[in-house]
Amino acid sequence: MTTLTAPPELLPLMTDLPAPPGLKPRTDPDLAVRLARSAAARSGAHLATGDFAGWLDGRREAHSFRIERVALDRLDGWSFDPLTGNLGHRSGRFFTVEGLHVTTDDHARREEWYQPIIKQPEVGILGILVKEFDGVLHCLMQAKMEPGNPNLLQLSPTVQATRSNYTKVHQGADVKYLEYFTDLGRSRVVADVLQSEHGSWFYHKSNRNMIVEAVDEVPEHPDFVWLTLGQIGELLLRDNVVNMDSRTVLACVPVESGAAGTGGLHTDTEVRSWFTAERSRHDVVAERVPLASLPDWIRGESAVSHREGRYFDVVGLKVHAGNREVTSWSQPLFEPVGRGVTAFLARHIGGVPHVLVHARVEGGFLDTVELGPTVQYTPGNYAHLHGDDRPRFLDAVLAADPGRIRYEAVHSEEGGRFLNAEARYMVVDTDLTEEPPGYLWVTPGQLSTLVQHSHYVNVQARTLIACLHAISLDPVGPEQTGGSSR
C-alpha cells in the first residue's frame, strides 16, 4: 500500500485541515482574547502612538530615496517584444505587461473591453510577525519605501516580498525576518491564506497573507517597530500611512468562532449560497492578448495610454532606495487617471451593524467574482455618463452628508506596481434597505469570516475590513444611523 504525503513546501498551506489521528494541533484557545486585548491597546510597549510620525520621519531621513520618470524604452533591462508588443524584463522574471480581452455576461447584460494587465504568476509572502510584550500582542511593522507611494515611505508588514525577491533573482540582500514565515519551527501560525491582488490590474495574482507569532526573542532593526493592533488602528485613520500590504494582512486577523454571523440579516449559509449563485450566474472570459493589439490603447513616447485619457497609463520609473534589498532599479508601473472612491454603505438591521457588499467582476480574478465594497470606482472615468448609466450608489457616496461619514481616509494601493494610485476609503451610513442584484447586506463579522478563505473578498474590501476594526459602528440611538467616528 502506498502512502501519499504532501510535499514539505505545501505543509504550511494546510492549516485549515484537521489534524491526523494521534497528532495534537498547536491551538491557542485564548487567541481571540489576546487579539482583542491588542486591538484595545492604544499605546505600545516600545513606541507611543503620538511619537510614530517622528519615528517615520527619522527613517525617511536615514535613507536616500530618488525617483525619476523615464520613457518606457529607456528602462534598464526592460523592452517591448517585437512581435507581441508585451513589455518584459530581459531575465524573463519579475512580471510582464500584456493585453487582456474580457467579455462578461450575467444573462441580463453583456460587456466587453480591452486593457493592459500585469502578469506576475509567482506567489509572494505578505507577513506580520507578532509577539507579546507586557502581556499584549504587538506587530512588527516596517518603514518601507515603494516607488509608487505618493509619500514613498509607508508602514508595511514585517515581510513583503515576491518569490523573485526572496529567492534573490535580482542578486540583492536577504529579506529580513523571512525565516519566521518559511521555517515554522521559529513561529506559530495565527493566520495563513492566499488572497487575490487587484483584479483590475493583475492577471490571476495571489499572495500568501500570513500572521505568525514568534516563539523566541526577535532581533531588532531600526527600520522596524513593534505596534499593537490598536495603535495600527489609530494610524489607519491617517492618510497614506499604512500601506496596502499591511491592510490586507490585518484583514485576515481571525474572528471569534461562532460569533461572526450573530444577528445577521442573512445566516452564514445563506451568504455563502448567495455568493456561490453570483459566481455561477456570471460568465466571464478573460483572454490574454498581445499588448500591441489592444484597440483604443496607444503606445506613445513615454507611456501606454487610453486614447480618451481614461483609466490608467503604463509609465516608467528609475528608482534609488538606500534601504531596499536592491538599491537601484528600473520598472514600469500603472498610474491611474484620477483618485478613486471606495466605500461601504452601512446601516443597522435589528440593532446589528451591516455593510452592503457587491459581487464584483474584474478581469484578472481567478474565479468570476469576488466580494467588493458597495462602491469601487474612479469618478472621472464615468464623468461622461448620466442617469442610470452611472455606477450604482456612486453619486450617493459622493454626495454623502458629512455627519453620516463614519470613516474617511485616503489610502494608496500597492506602491510596487502602481504609481500614485490613491482612493478615498469611506464608510457611509445610509437609510437604504434595498439589495439590488449583485448586492447583499452582511455583518462585518460575516465578511471577516469569509476572509479566512481564498478569493472570496477582494483587496479593496479587505482594506475596509481593516479600517472597520479601527472604528465603532454603534448607532447613535436604537435603530439610528448618523454620527461620525472620524
Side-chain angles (χ1 to χ4, degrees):
M1 183 176 184
T2 302
T3 301
L4 299 179
T5 305
E9 63 271 19
L10 292 184
L11 290 178
L13 301 178
M14 300 173 66
T15 54
D16 289 337
L17 297 180
L23 293 182
K24 183 178 180 180
R26 290 188 295 172
T27 60
D28 182 356
D30 299 322
L31 178 60
V33 174
R34 299 169 68 216
L35 290 169
R37 185 183 300 129
S38 180
R42 301 290 171 162
S43 182
H46 289 246
L47 182 73
T49 311
D51 295 333
F52 173 81
W55 176 82
L56 191 64
D57 286 341
R59 301 326 305 156
R60 184 177 287 109
E61 294 169 1
H63 302 287
S64 172
F65 304 122
R66 188 170 63 254
I67 303 294
E68 177 189 359
R69 285 181 181 257
V70 297
L72 293 171
D73 58 9
R74 287 185 54 208
L75 292 175
D76 182 32
W78 295 83
S79 62
F80 290 96
D81 185 277
L83 295 178
T84 65
N86 293 346
L87 181 58
H89 194 264
R90 65 189 169 203
S91 67
R93 301 293 295 273
F94 303 113
F95 62 93
T96 55
V97 179
E98 306 179 4
L100 194 70
H101 174 210
V102 184
T103 57
T104 70
D105 190 344
D106 65 358
H107 307 289
R109 181 178 181 182
R110 186 179 186 275
E111 292 186 276
E112 179 181 20
W113 71 89
Y114 293 83
Q115 66 168 91
I117 198 82
I118 297 172
K119 185 172 186 301
Q120 185 176 350
E122 60 187 28
V123 175
I125 293 177
L126 307 178
I128 293 178
L129 184 66
V130 300
K131 185 174 174 60
E132 271 197 7
F133 296 96
D134 298 336
V136 178
L137 281 174
H138 287 60
C139 305
L140 185 60
M141 308 299 289
Q142 177 183 183
K144 188 177 182 70
M145 178 273 195
E146 293 287 357
N149 289 342
N151 53 356
L152 293 183
L153 201 67
Q154 294 188 15
L155 198 63
S156 87
T158 319
V159 167
Q160 177 184 322
T162 65
R163 185 177 296 275
S164 294
N165 288 146
Y166 63 77
T167 58
K168 298 199 284 188
V169 169
H170 46 41
Q171 304 299 310
D174 291 335
V175 175
K176 295 178 180 63
Y177 303 107
L178 177 67
E179 63 273 16
Y180 291 93
F181 300 88
T182 56
D183 178 4
L184 296 184
R186 292 173 174 262
S187 57
R188 170 187 169 278
V189 175
V190 175
D192 190 355
V193 61
L194 285 177
Q195 297 288 8
S196 62
E197 291 279 312
H198 295 75
S200 294
W201 294 331
F202 278 114
Y203 181 77
H204 291 184
K205 178 74 171 73
S206 298
N207 276 323
R208 190 176 175 189
N209 287 224
M210 302 180 70
I211 303 173
V212 300
E213 183 175 4
V215 295
D216 294 315
E217 293 300 313
V218 178
E220 296 185 0
H221 187 279
D223 284 335
F224 292 74
V225 62
W226 292 101
L227 300 170
T228 68
L229 288 171
Q231 288 182 290
I232 299 171
E234 292 280 348
L235 298 177
L236 281 166
L237 302 175
R238 307 180 187 180
D239 293 348
N240 285 325
V241 172
V242 181
N243 81 355
M244 186 222 77
D245 299 286
S246 294
R247 301 191 306 263
T248 179
V249 178
L250 291 167
C252 298
V253 169
V255 296
E256 186 176 358
S257 177
T262 303
L265 176 63
H266 304 285
T267 67
D268 292 351
T269 300
E270 289 170 345
V271 172
R272 290 193 298 268
S273 177
W274 172 84
F275 180 63
T276 302
E278 285 297 312
R279 280 189 163 171
S280 300
R281 79 179 180 92
H282 286 86
D283 296 326
V284 180
V285 178
E287 178 187 9
R288 289 161 52 206
V289 297
L291 183 64
S293 72
L294 297 181
D296 297 329
W297 290 85
I298 301 168
R299 177 180 157 189
E301 184 175 333
S302 60
V304 176
S305 305
H306 192 269
R307 66 177 179 85
E308 294 179 344
R310 298 191 187 120
Y311 312 120
F312 59 88
D313 299 329
V314 183
V315 300
L317 288 186
K318 284 190 175 181
V319 184
H320 173 80
N323 68 340
R324 291 291 297 265
E325 292 84 11
V326 172
T327 56
S328 298
W329 71 92
S330 296
Q331 68 170 97
L333 296 94
F334 283 14
E335 183 176 28
V337 179
R339 177 182 287 177
V341 174
T342 303
F344 273 140
L345 291 181
R347 67 184 302 265
H348 282 70
I349 302 173
V352 177
H354 284 69
V355 294
L356 188 63
V357 296
H358 180 203
R360 284 185 56 87
V361 173
E362 297 182 15
F365 282 155
L366 192 63
D367 193 356
T368 58
V369 304
E370 293 190 14
L371 296 181
T374 320
V375 166
Q376 181 188 314
Y377 302 105
T378 300
N381 291 335
Y382 305 92
H384 61 295
L385 300 178
H386 304 280
D388 292 341
D389 291 331
R390 287 182 60 77
R392 193 187 292 268
F393 300 119
L394 173 60
D395 292 329
V397 168
L398 292 176
D401 186 309
R404 290 203 151 199
I405 300 175
R406 289 297 188 96
Y407 174 87
E408 183 177 13
V410 174
H411 295 301
S412 57
E413 306 303 333
E414 212 282 311
R417 297 292 177 266
F418 312 128
L419 177 63
N420 298 323
E422 293 181 308
R424 180 184 172 205
Y425 278 87
M426 305 171 69
V427 178
V428 180
D429 280 333
T430 182
D431 295 324
L432 296 172
T433 59
E434 62 179 313
E435 289 182 325
Y439 294 82
L440 194 76
W441 288 105
V442 302
T443 69
Q446 287 175 317
L447 203 51
S448 292
T449 298
L450 292 176
V451 174
Q452 309 306 313
H453 303 277
S454 301
H455 307 300
Y456 271 60
V457 181
N458 80 355
V459 67
Q460 288 87 351
R462 296 198 303 272
T463 279
L464 282 172
I465 290 171
C467 297
L468 285 170
H469 293 164
I471 66 172
S472 169
L473 286 181
D474 291 338
V476 175
E479 294 298 311
Q480 295 179 14
T481 56
S484 176
S485 298
R486 292 178 296 162

